Amino acid sequence: MSSINGARTYVAAMCAGMMQNALDLAVDYGRDRTAFGRPLVEHQGLKWSLSDVATHIAALDALVGKAAQLIDAGEDAVLAAAHAKKLAGEVTIPSITACMQAMGANGLREEHFLGQHLAAAKIAAFTDGSTEMMKERIAAQF
Ligand SMILES: Cc1cc2nc3c(=O)[nH]c(=O)nc-3n(C[C@H](O)[C@H](O)[C@H](O)COP(=O)(O)OP(=O)(O)OC[C@H]3O[C@@H](n4cnc5c(N)ncnc54)[C@H](O)[C@@H]3O)c2cc1C
């Protein structure tokens, strides 16, 4: 258990990496693919959806960075690691799904690995403590 905060932070960082990879794929794809005379990424609805993914990545990066700093400094990282892993458990699957949606049926192709990312995101939400247990850790500080 002495290394659990590091493990939770590491899992959250993996989720941020999967989301970034999914976003990069969706943006690259959407620049090339046109619909109704414009690249997909120029359609407002799609841009907004992908901008939400970018916000989730930025928020998770910040929480992971804070938890990692505390761990490196040998300080108490229970709360920071729980915040990072909780957010990862809540936003990774919807974010990867949004990126798949932006790529149409092409997002389902095995070569993009988004299906594997989805399965890994579900696994990540259990390993080293479920999302519900992260909520318990956070609420224990009240
Ligand atoms: C890839 C992987 C690697 C793992 N590695 C390890 C390892 O190295 N060491 C180890 O010990 N374990 C490991 N685990 C186990 C992991 O920690 C558990 O799967 C996780 O803690 C959830 O426990 P459980 O599966 O027994 O679900 P359960 O405890 O049966 O819970 C089922 C569901 O109920 C929810 N729940 C349970 N209690 C409450 C409550 N009080 N309030 C609200 N909701 C609740 C849970 O969040 C979950 O959604 C690993 C799991 C995975 C997927």
Side-chain angles (χ1 to χ4, degrees):
M1 292 304 289
S2 63
S3 60
I4 195 73
N5 296 318
R8 287 173 181 170
T9 304
Y10 182 68
V11 169
M14 287 196 291
C15 288
M18 288 194 292
M19 284 195 287
Q20 186 66 60
N21 176 245
L23 181 61
D24 291 346
L25 275 171
V27 169
D28 282 351
Y29 182 84
R31 283 188 184 127
D32 286 343
R33 169 99 171 149
T34 56
F36 296 91
R38 285 189 288 169
L40 280 178
V41 285
E42 289 181 15
H43 292 280
Q44 189 179 58
L46 209 58
K47 276 197 288 196
W48 285 10
S49 170
L50 295 180
S51 89
D52 287 345
V53 176
T55 302
H56 290 150
I57 295 167
L60 189 53
D61 274 348
L63 292 180
V64 164
K66 183 177 177 187
Q69 273 177 351
L70 289 170
I71 291 164
D72 283 348
E75 293 177 26
D76 182 359
V78 172
L79 184 59
H83 277 309
K85 190 165 187 298
K86 176 188 171 214
L87 186 70
E90 289 176 341
V91 303
T92 306
I93 289 176
S95 293
I96 294 169
T97 302
C99 293
M100 291 175 93
Q101 184 72 27
M103 294 174 71
N106 244 304
L108 304 173
R109 292 175 75 123
E110 206 175 345
E111 71 213 46
H112 298 310
F113 296 105
L114 293 178
Q116 285 95 323
H117 283 351
L118 268 187
K122 191 66 206 164
I123 292 167
F126 286 123
T127 188
D128 298 310
S130 65
T131 304
E132 289 78 14
M133 292 305 109
M134 297 308 104
K135 293 181 184 186
E136 285 292 319
R137 287 289 91 225
I138 293 163
Q141 315 275 333
F142 295 162

